[in-house]
Amino acid sequence: MRIYLDHNATTPVDPAVADAMMRALQDLFGNASSVHYYGQQAKAAIDDARSAVAALIGAEPSEIVFTSGGTEADNFAIRGVAEALEVTGRRHLITCGIEHEAVLNTFKALAKRGWRTTVLPLDSGGIVSPNALRDAMTDDTALVSVMHANNEIGTIQPIAELTAIAKARGALFHTDAVQSAGKIPVNARALGVDLLAISAHKFYGPKGIGALWAKRGVRLSPFLAGGKQERNRRAGTENVPGAIGMGVAAAQAASKMSGEATRLAALRDRLETGVLAAVPNTDVNGSRASRVPNTTNISFERIEAESLLIALDLEGVAVSTGSACSSGTLEPSHVLKAMGLSSHRAQNSIRFSLGASNTEQQIDHVISILPKIVTKLRSLSTVGTR
Ligand SMILES: Cc1ncc(COP(=O)(O)O)c(C=O)c1O
């Protein structure tokens, strides 16, 4: 039995998505910017996909810019606003310590080019305090970027409250909703944000396609020079099969969301309660009150998380020690460290992220094999306690 519990890294492509993409690869080869029949067919399919993606996040289709994924959407939002607002003298940017590298490293790059950046602290549950944001805001703050749901611990930030604070000082607000879109209701307007990034491969769509939602009227400097695609916002021949796949995935996610969220939350809670009861000296990282339904991050005292990951993989269970982008390094998770957890704890934590294929039987199997594996690893371990 192989059990995939790493859906925050990526999800398998839904069969309906694969079918639609296969048909698009065969039949819709036209360049969506071409005037003739072939181009029109491709453009009509992209327009349908744009509407489905917009519907998933409560937006207008014209506000959706297709990108190559979440990383590009985050880069575009932050760099695009920073450059567009440079002339106004607003050269301060704010983010928080648990963001994905797509945001944190964009901030670092802009800091090197002269922008002033502030990285907000988090409480021990992994939540940004509205007061911390209020204190950090200045009259030259151009943009605040705080993620909606975190990829490692699943916590959901109080975005609507944070956007109100940013708005009061005239700053724009970007949220990375890559880990929330498709899992929980996301309504860009209700959140009060100006920009929002999503990625298809996190909700059973293909890799290499995502979208940035930019509220009508928000000025963004394009960062690719080229043609006039995507209303002059993102140059490059449109990825027709990708957009179609993302559109089908968005429609499927919207229609399955409430049932799947309830089912996954019950499975996640079963896993969490089962592991905490069966394995001594374990703890959940991050606030359990406000989380996406599919994620739990558990620390196993006196265990090297990488060893546990490998031992579980040998048993056919795929989990992760944090974000896939930084795995392979033995650096403790920057997310857990930003929440104030010790290096030990940040290095003994495993993320379980559930999804469509998971069943109660699989969860019970994982709970049943963990105690033996952990006891064995602890008996070999030289790792200290928290
Ligand atoms: C929160 C978050 N933002 C951005 C990304 C990057 O998205 P993509 O893989 O589509 O570039 C990820 C992917 O892991 C993510 O989890």
Side-chain angles (χ1 to χ4, degrees):
M1 178 173 10
R2 288 223 162 256
I3 303 177
Y4 186 71
L5 293 174
D6 200 14
H7 292 82
N8 287 5
T10 196
T11 55
V13 171
D14 184 291
V17 169
D19 272 2
M21 290 182 72
M22 191 54 90
R23 271 184 277 119
L25 280 167
Q26 282 162 353
D27 303 336
L28 293 174
F29 67 88
N31 183 322
S33 301
S34 297
V35 178
H36 49 61
Y37 169 84
Y38 297 92
Q40 287 174 26
Q41 295 287 100
K43 177 160 187 320
I46 289 189
D47 287 346
D48 287 347
R50 201 184 301 282
S51 298
V53 170
L56 181 69
I57 55 168
E60 293 295 321
S62 61
E63 298 167 320
I64 299 291
V65 184
F66 283 117
T67 63
S68 65
T71 299
E72 184 186 323
D74 282 331
N75 269 260
F76 185 19
I78 300 162
R79 289 171 194 268
V81 165
E83 277 180 31
L85 293 189
E86 195 175 0
V87 287
T88 65
R90 286 186 178 253
R91 288 186 53 99
H92 177 223
L93 307 164
I94 300 179
T95 188
C96 75
I98 61 167
E99 295 291 312
H100 189 269
E101 284 83 353
V103 169
L104 288 177
N105 288 339
T106 303
F107 266 66
K108 283 186 191 150
L110 288 170
K112 278 199 191 131
R113 289 171 43 201
W115 269 270
R116 205 159 60 75
T117 58
T118 302
V119 180
L120 297 174
L122 294 117
D123 67 18
S124 59
I127 306 287
V128 173
S129 129
N131 282 336
L133 175 59
R134 206 170 281 115
D135 293 347
M137 295 292 307
T138 67
D139 288 335
D140 75 344
T141 306
L143 178 79
V144 178
S145 183
V146 174
M147 73 199 316
H148 192 202
N150 180 265
N151 40 311
E152 294 188 26
I153 51 176
T155 47
I156 300 170
Q157 300 297 330
I159 298 295
E161 208 179 329
L162 300 175
T163 53
I165 295 166
K167 285 280 134 65
R169 299 296 289 265
L172 294 175
F173 202 105
H174 167 59
T175 193
D176 173 336
V178 166
Q179 292 290 348
S180 56
K183 293 186 180 131
I184 56 170
V186 173
N187 185 303
R189 286 214 151 68
L191 289 173
V193 296
D194 301 286
L195 301 131
L196 182 146
I198 62 175
S199 175
H201 76 97
K202 306 293 184 180
F203 52 90
Y204 307 94
K207 290 158 190 59
I209 182 111
L212 177 66
W213 171 78
K215 192 165 77 184
R216 186 172 308 127
V218 168
R219 283 201 300 133
L220 272 180
S221 294
F223 79 102
L224 287 176
K228 296 191 171 26
Q229 291 89 352
E230 299 293 291
R231 294 171 177 250
N232 267 331
R233 292 170 298 187
R234 204 272 186 180
T237 300
E238 293 86 345
N239 173 359
V240 182
I244 289 174
M246 185 169 188
V248 174
Q252 298 263 356
S255 74
K256 292 180 186 166
M257 188 179 301
S258 85
E260 228 358 47
T262 311
R263 190 184 77 87
L264 290 178
L267 281 184
R268 186 268 315 271
D269 292 348
R270 185 183 184 97
L271 174 67
E272 205 168 76
T273 321
V275 171
L276 295 194
V279 187
N281 302 318
T282 45
D283 225 331
V284 172
N285 296 316
S287 160
R288 291 163 83 169
S290 176
R291 272 189 300 179
V292 284
N294 76 320
T295 308
T296 180
N297 190 302
I298 301 181
S299 83
F300 296 81
E301 214 173 275
R302 288 201 312 112
I303 290 280
E304 190 69 70
E306 296 285 330
S307 313
L308 181 51
L309 183 153
I310 291 162
L312 281 169
D313 192 40
L314 290 173
E315 296 283 334
V317 180
V319 295
S320 113
T321 55
S323 101
C325 319
S326 32
S327 53
T329 73
L330 284 178
E331 281 292 297
S333 146
H334 74 275
V335 170
L336 300 181
K337 285 191 77 182
M339 290 159 52
L341 299 189
S342 67
S343 293
H344 281 319
R345 183 145 170 190
Q347 269 170 325
N348 69 23
S349 297
I350 290 278
R351 172 183 77 185
F352 301 85
S353 50
L354 284 61
S357 66
N358 298 138
T359 60
E360 265 184 18
Q361 193 201 359
Q362 292 184 345
I363 296 304
D364 291 347
H365 178 69
V366 175
I367 298 168
S368 74
I369 61 172
L370 264 171
K372 207 165 139 203
I373 297 175
V374 171
T375 306
K376 183 165 171 214
L377 289 176
R378 279 184 180 152
S379 73
L380 303 170
S381 170
T382 52
V383 178
T385 53
R386 288 176 271 176

